[in-house]
Amino acid sequence: MSNVPRSSPYPLLQVEDAISIVLSEASSFQVIQVESKEAAGFIAAENIHARSPFPPFKASLKDGYAVKYPLTAGKKKLVGSVTTGRAGELPQVNSEQVAYITTGAPLPPGADSVIPVEWTCEADDPGYVMISKGTQVLGQEVRQIGSDIAEGELIISSGSYIGVTECALLINCGVERVKVYSRPKVAVFSTGNELVDIGSVPAFGEIYDANRPLLLAALRRLNIDVIDLGIVKDSEAHITKTFEKALEVADIVVTSGGVSMGCHDYIKIVLERLGKVHFGRVRMKPGKPLTFATTKTGSSSKRFVVGLPGNPVSCYVCFYLFVVPLIRKLSGYVNPHLPVVEAELLDSIRLDPERPEYHRSILKWNFERHIYEAKSTGDQSSSRLLSATKANALLILPSENKVLEKGSLVSAIVLEDK
Amino acid sequence: MSNVPRSSPYPLLQVEDAISIVLSEASSFQVIQVESKEAAGFIAAENIHARSPFPPFKASLKDGYAVKYPLTAGKKKLVGSVTTGRAGELPQVNSEQVAYITTGAPLPPGADSVIPVEWTCEADDPGYVMISKGTQVLGQEVRQIGSDIAEGELIISSGSYIGVTECALLINCGVERVKVYSRPKVAVFSTGNELVDIGSVPAFGEIYDANRPLLLAALRRLNIDVIDLGIVKDSEAHITKTFEKALEVADIVVTSGGVSMGCHDYIKIVLERLGKVHFGRVRMKPGKPLTFATTKTGSSSKRFVVGLPGNPVSCYVCFYLFVVPLIRKLSGYVNPHLPVVEAELLDSIRLDPERPEYHRSILKWNFERHIYEAKSTGDQSSSRLLSATKANALLILPSENKVLEKGSLVSAIVLEDK
């Protein structure tokens, strides 16, 4: 082992350039139709218009009495009652008459306004009711047809995120099914002769594979269908076979390990043969050996491979920086990036002179100072998962040969809330 | 219908007091054991210590050559190679000898330091390697046993959130299973004679039930097991029967509609009989008729009922303000509240003189001004779901008889990212 690799043939890309390459490759979306009630979390692939107006009939905003405007105070004849639900025969309401009505019920014919129950009291005769305050304006406490949403109104535009409220809005307006962008399927495997699954007893020289569980858990939290392809030994044949299998079933293949320069690092070698390696090194800390490739065989659609470094923290940082935007782009997000805010450092941090660092940190809003404060999670070794625990943000630290003083303002990528 | 309800017997509570009541009732947690790889999203119910140190052996941080410190530059004898994986017989490394080693592989006996591959080159004799730069410090490029995590070290304390990185950390340290707080099961039903499910054709006076799909989607996004009990007619008997069924299978029952003062509003009446109604009105906009009750029958644990108002926006706001913290408290969160930040108003907003308003808004970080800006979603009618679409925050607006000027700083509850 004297003639071993000593330098990488891959140019060292800037993070922004590397992310741009990933996103520019990811342009094809697949459109599917889902039921509106299952649409939360998807991106709309069409402009969606209200099929029915809301409300679909003149409805009372209050429990009270439906009347014809104008109506003065006094004892009024009760001609019936209208409650919510399938409206059978409704009472006719003429001047000086009232009909009891509940919130949301349709206005009976003749009525155009509602007197809230608080403005009324019981009369001595049960066929009557005492109105203590008459109508103030025509149409009071009445929701006009389509006043919330008109029939045909654009309610969700193509490219918008469908959250739980948008999902309810669709149903509200009678939209039963919608076209959305499908989410990519993701296959995951780890490479490394040293890896064993938790539950096994590691021999000397072996460690537990923590990356695959991390990636699978993170993908599931993004509601992504995952295919777990296990641990693959450091052999060109095994890795090739697993890639071939993965590329058949998944849109994106995410691997961990095997991207460095060691003589057992086969990911890049295999990918060069199976497809196009767009980059194999990125100027970032952690995550330098990050690798990105695409493949295209026969009539199948383009596939994406992200080869994450084997150190768990590098794996985690690169996942959020590259894999999440790739997934979001393929899922139809107009802005595939995670949210970024700014925060004031609670610690002084020595910058890395060569690579921008994605520093794990705990972000918290300070209500006295009206700003986010960022607390470092300490020692940032790329093997040290403790530095990623409790972290809810990645600070973007520039590469410079200096200490960034406590109190400096830095950009922070917001990860999940804890 | 003259002798109808005209005032509520329930006192009007402040929002903070109402939330406190809900949280103080929710004190019992159930502890379950889950596999570490399935633990993401749970709260730890025990202090968790590393079962094995990490790394579990002295490991190389680089691809390079394992050596015994000190080693000067020059041509050195190659005594073997160590790659990652089950370490069979390792070469013995003495002074002036080197063994090839890959990142993460265990140091062979005799070696204590690693010369990175970049400091070496091929020798003319394949049994040798040229070292261009000797050792600088003892232990260089070597990760000592337990240097990231010591055996027995506290890695996650009871009450902490287990995110995807914590899940990986557990596995990293050989922890196979952990005790966590179970998440409550939630049953959901809507009440209202006027409601039909999407897919049916509404008759005159009927509308689609949008609340149940909203609640079910929101609960699923929180990884909550849901039980969908459908639409229940406004009948005391039907509602009683559905509650009895729901309380048998779920920890929390969330209903929508039927909490106002109409003659068909049976939720409060039924709950008064089945358990204890803690409050039936809250000084908030929207959401005034919000109802909260607990029940306890036989040997079953305490159950919680949140009666949400029937207007979709009220339903949505009260869900995030009350149901989410209740779920989080029962799930073991030390801080059950959603994150709150501050934002500057981009619009002037007329305050409600009687009730604090939870104003739907779009929060966005302004990188030039280094603050969050909040854009109102417009007309805030409680039936108007359009006001909740695109919203990612609820502004907490105080009740006062004035206009809150554009540029004012307000607190904002952060909802899901869009």
Side-chain angles (χ1 to χ4, degrees):
Chain A
M1 302 308 286
S2 174
N3 59 338
V4 293
R6 286 191 166 80
S7 70
S8 171
Y10 294 97
L12 196 55
L13 261 61
Q14 300 297 338
V15 175
E16 300 69 32
D17 297 338
I19 293 176
S20 291
I21 290 173
V22 171
L23 295 179
S24 68
E25 283 297 317
S27 54
S28 61
F29 306 118
Q30 212 178 321
V31 174
I32 54 170
Q33 202 173 45
V34 295
E35 284 194 61
S36 295
K37 62 183 179 190
E38 309 290 345
F42 285 97
I43 302 289
E46 58 176 345
N47 283 332
I48 308 169
H49 300 264
R51 287 179 64 92
S52 45
F54 193 83
F57 46 81
K58 288 187 186 182
S60 177
L61 278 164
K62 287 272 174 76
D63 295 321
Y65 293 89
V67 301
K68 186 172 163 57
Y69 178 89
L71 184 92
T72 51
K75 186 171 161 184
K76 308 289 165 180
K77 182 156 179 60
L78 194 53
V79 293
S81 74
V82 192
T83 57
T84 56
R86 193 175 287 252
E89 210 161 316
L90 296 174
Q92 170 76 34
V93 176
N94 296 325
S95 296
E96 298 303 298
Q97 297 182 334
V98 303
Y100 179 67
I101 192 165
T102 57
T103 309
L107 248 64
D112 53 28
S113 307
V114 170
I115 304 266
V117 77
E118 296 87 343
W119 300 3
T120 70
C121 55
E122 212 172 331
D124 38 16
D125 182 340
Y128 289 81
V129 66
M130 287 300 299
I131 302 293
S132 46
K133 191 173 166 189
T135 50
Q136 306 294 300
V137 286
L138 175 66
Q140 67 180 39
E141 306 300 359
V142 173
R143 223 154 56 200
Q144 302 299 327
I145 296 173
S147 58
D148 285 337
I149 300 151
E151 189 175 338
E153 185 176 344
L154 177 67
I155 50 172
I156 295 175
S157 41
S158 187
S160 300
Y161 179 83
I162 302 176
V164 299
T165 46
E166 287 78 8
C167 166
L169 177 67
L170 290 168
I171 291 167
N172 202 226
C173 305
V175 180
E176 204 176 333
R177 268 178 289 274
V178 287
K179 285 189 182 141
V180 298
Y181 293 109
S182 76
R183 284 188 281 253
K185 276 205 188 70
V186 182
V188 177
F189 65 91
S190 292
T191 68
N193 291 332
E194 76 280 23
L195 300 179
V196 294
D197 271 323
I198 185 86
S200 314
V201 180
F204 178 71
E206 293 182 332
I207 56 169
Y208 294 111
D209 177 19
N211 291 349
R212 218 168 83 255
L214 184 153
L215 295 170
L216 293 171
L219 288 163
R220 285 198 197 102
R221 289 187 78 79
L222 298 171
N223 281 315
I224 294 295
D225 280 344
V226 290
I227 300 143
D228 178 5
L229 296 173
I231 296 167
V232 179
K233 292 285 165 201
D234 290 322
S235 118
E236 204 170 326
H238 279 132
I239 289 177
T240 303
K241 217 173 118 187
T242 312
F243 263 128
E244 283 167 353
K245 192 167 140 193
L247 292 164
E248 254 176 48
V249 292
D251 303 295
I252 303 176
V253 184
V254 178
T255 67
S256 78
V259 286
S260 290
M261 286 190 293
C263 61
H264 284 183
D265 290 327
Y266 295 113
I267 294 286
K268 287 175 162 102
I269 298 166
V270 172
L271 286 175
E272 289 284 4
R273 224 181 41 241
L274 294 179
K276 180 177 175 193
V277 175
H278 296 270
F279 57 82
R281 286 200 307 158
V282 182
R283 193 184 294 283
M284 61 186 287
K285 184 182 176 183
K288 194 170 160 194
L290 179 72
T291 299
F292 173 67
T294 51
T295 70
K296 175 108 188 57
T297 47
S299 61
S300 75
S301 59
K302 195 197 268 184
R303 310 298 198 190
F304 305 86
V305 181
V306 186
L308 302 172
N311 262 324
V313 179
S314 318
C315 174
Y316 158 80
V317 168
C318 292
F319 177 80
Y320 283 103
L321 244 67
F322 290 85
V323 181
V324 171
L326 171 60
I327 289 174
R328 287 166 67 118
K329 182 86 188 279
L330 288 171
S331 305
Y333 280 77
V334 174
N335 172 14
H337 300 285
L338 285 171
V340 178
V341 298
E342 288 163 302
E344 216 179 272
L345 292 183
L346 288 181
D347 319 86
S348 293
I349 300 178
R350 167 148 286 288
L351 299 177
D352 186 289
E354 283 166 16
R355 292 179 286 163
E357 188 187 356
Y358 292 83
H359 194 102
R360 281 74 73 200
S361 148
I362 300 165
L363 217 62
K364 215 175 155 180
W365 190 267
N366 182 319
F367 283 90
E368 273 159 38
R369 306 188 50 229
H370 315 300
I371 50 162
Y372 272 122
E373 289 176 336
K375 176 100 200 107
S376 169
T377 54
D379 175 0
Q380 301 281 305
S381 314
S382 62
S383 63
R384 200 171 163 276
L385 267 173
L386 271 179
S387 74
T389 66
K390 295 202 175 121
N392 60 0
L394 293 175
L395 305 182
I396 307 175
L397 303 182
S399 76
E400 219 173 316
N401 193 2
K402 70 166 199 183
V403 169
L404 200 60
E405 295 301 335
K406 176 179 161 170
S408 305
L409 199 65
V410 296
S411 290
I413 300 170
V414 182
L415 306 177
E416 64 183 321
D417 286 310
K418 301 252 163 150
Chain B
M1 300 310 284
S2 172
N3 59 339
V4 295
R6 287 193 166 79
S7 69
S8 172
Y10 296 96
L12 197 54
L13 262 61
Q14 301 297 336
V15 175
E16 301 70 31
D17 297 338
I19 293 177
S20 292
I21 290 173
V22 172
L23 295 179
S24 68
E25 283 298 316
S27 54
S28 61
F29 306 118
Q30 212 178 321
V31 174
I32 54 169
Q33 202 172 47
V34 296
E35 285 194 62
S36 296
K37 62 184 178 189
E38 308 292 345
F42 285 97
I43 302 290
E46 58 176 344
N47 282 331
I48 308 169
H49 300 266
R51 289 178 64 91
S52 46
F54 193 83
F57 46 81
K58 288 188 187 185
S60 178
L61 277 165
K62 287 272 173 77
D63 295 322
Y65 293 88
V67 302
K68 186 172 164 57
Y69 178 89
L71 184 92
T72 51
K75 185 171 164 185
K76 308 289 166 179
K77 181 156 181 58
L78 194 53
V79 294
S81 76
V82 193
T83 55
T84 55
R86 191 174 288 251
E89 209 162 316
L90 296 174
Q92 170 75 35
V93 176
N94 296 325
S95 296
E96 299 301 301
Q97 298 183 333
V98 303
Y100 178 66
I101 192 165
T102 56
T103 309
L107 249 64
D112 53 28
S113 306
V114 169
I115 303 266
V117 77
E118 295 88 345
W119 300 3
T120 71
C121 55
E122 211 173 333
D124 39 14
D125 182 341
Y128 288 81
V129 67
M130 288 301 298
I131 303 293
S132 47
K133 189 172 166 189
T135 51
Q136 306 294 300
V137 286
L138 175 66
Q140 68 180 38
E141 307 298 2
V142 173
R143 221 152 60 199
Q144 302 299 326
I145 295 173
S147 59
D148 285 337
I149 300 151
E151 189 175 338
E153 185 175 343
L154 177 69
I155 49 171
I156 295 174
S157 40
S158 188
S160 300
Y161 179 83
I162 302 177
V164 299
T165 45
E166 288 77 8
C167 165
L169 178 68
L170 291 168
I171 290 167
N172 202 227
C173 305
V175 180
E176 204 176 335
R177 268 179 287 274
V178 287
K179 285 189 181 138
V180 297
Y181 293 109
S182 75
R183 285 189 281 253
K185 275 204 190 72
V186 181
V188 176
F189 66 90
S190 292
T191 67
N193 291 333
E194 76 279 23
L195 300 179
V196 294
D197 271 323
I198 184 86
S200 313
V201 179
F204 178 73
E206 292 182 332
I207 56 169
Y208 295 111
D209 176 19
N211 291 349
R212 218 168 83 254
L214 185 153
L215 295 170
L216 293 170
L219 289 163
R220 286 198 197 101
R221 288 188 79 80
L222 298 171
N223 280 314
I224 294 294
D225 279 345
V226 291
I227 301 143
D228 178 5
L229 296 172
I231 296 167
V232 180
K233 290 285 163 200
D234 290 322
S235 118
E236 202 169 329
H238 279 132
I239 290 178
T240 303
K241 217 172 119 188
T242 312
F243 263 128
E244 284 168 351
K245 191 167 141 193
L247 292 164
E248 253 176 48
V249 293
D251 303 294
I252 303 178
V253 184
V254 178
T255 67
S256 77
V259 287
S260 291
M261 285 191 293
C263 61
H264 283 183
D265 289 328
Y266 295 112
I267 294 285
K268 287 175 161 100
I269 299 166
V270 172
L271 286 175
E272 288 286 3
R273 224 182 40 241
L274 293 178
K276 182 180 174 191
V277 175
H278 296 272
F279 57 83
R281 286 200 305 157
V282 181
R283 193 184 294 280
M284 63 186 286
K285 185 184 176 183
K288 194 171 161 193
L290 180 73
T291 299
F292 173 67
T294 52
T295 69
K296 174 108 187 57
T297 46
S299 60
S300 75
S301 59
K302 194 197 269 182
R303 310 297 197 190
F304 305 85
V305 181
V306 186
L308 302 173
N311 261 325
V313 179
S314 319
C315 174
Y316 159 80
V317 168
C318 292
F319 176 80
Y320 284 103
L321 245 68
F322 290 85
V323 181
V324 171
L326 170 61
I327 288 174
R328 287 168 66 117
K329 182 86 187 280
L330 288 171
S331 305
Y333 280 76
V334 174
N335 172 15
H337 300 285
L338 285 171
V340 178
V341 298
E342 288 162 303
E344 218 179 90
L345 291 183
L346 288 182
D347 318 85
S348 294
I349 300 179
R350 166 147 289 286
L351 300 177
D352 186 289
E354 282 166 17
R355 294 178 285 163
E357 187 187 357
Y358 293 84
H359 194 103
R360 282 75 73 200
S361 147
I362 300 165
L363 216 63
K364 214 174 155 181
W365 190 267
N366 182 320
F367 282 90
E368 273 159 39
R369 305 187 51 226
H370 314 301
I371 50 161
Y372 272 121
E373 290 177 336
K375 175 102 200 105
S376 169
T377 53
D379 175 0
Q380 301 281 304
S381 314
S382 62
S383 63
R384 201 173 164 275
L385 266 173
L386 271 179
S387 75
T389 65
K390 295 205 175 117
N392 59 0
L394 293 176
L395 306 182
I396 307 175
L397 303 182
S399 75
E400 218 172 316
N401 193 2
K402 69 166 196 182
V403 169
L404 201 59
E405 294 302 332
K406 175 178 162 171
S408 304
L409 199 64
V410 296
S411 291
I413 301 171
V414 181
L415 306 177
E416 64 182 323
D417 286 309
K418 301 253 161 147

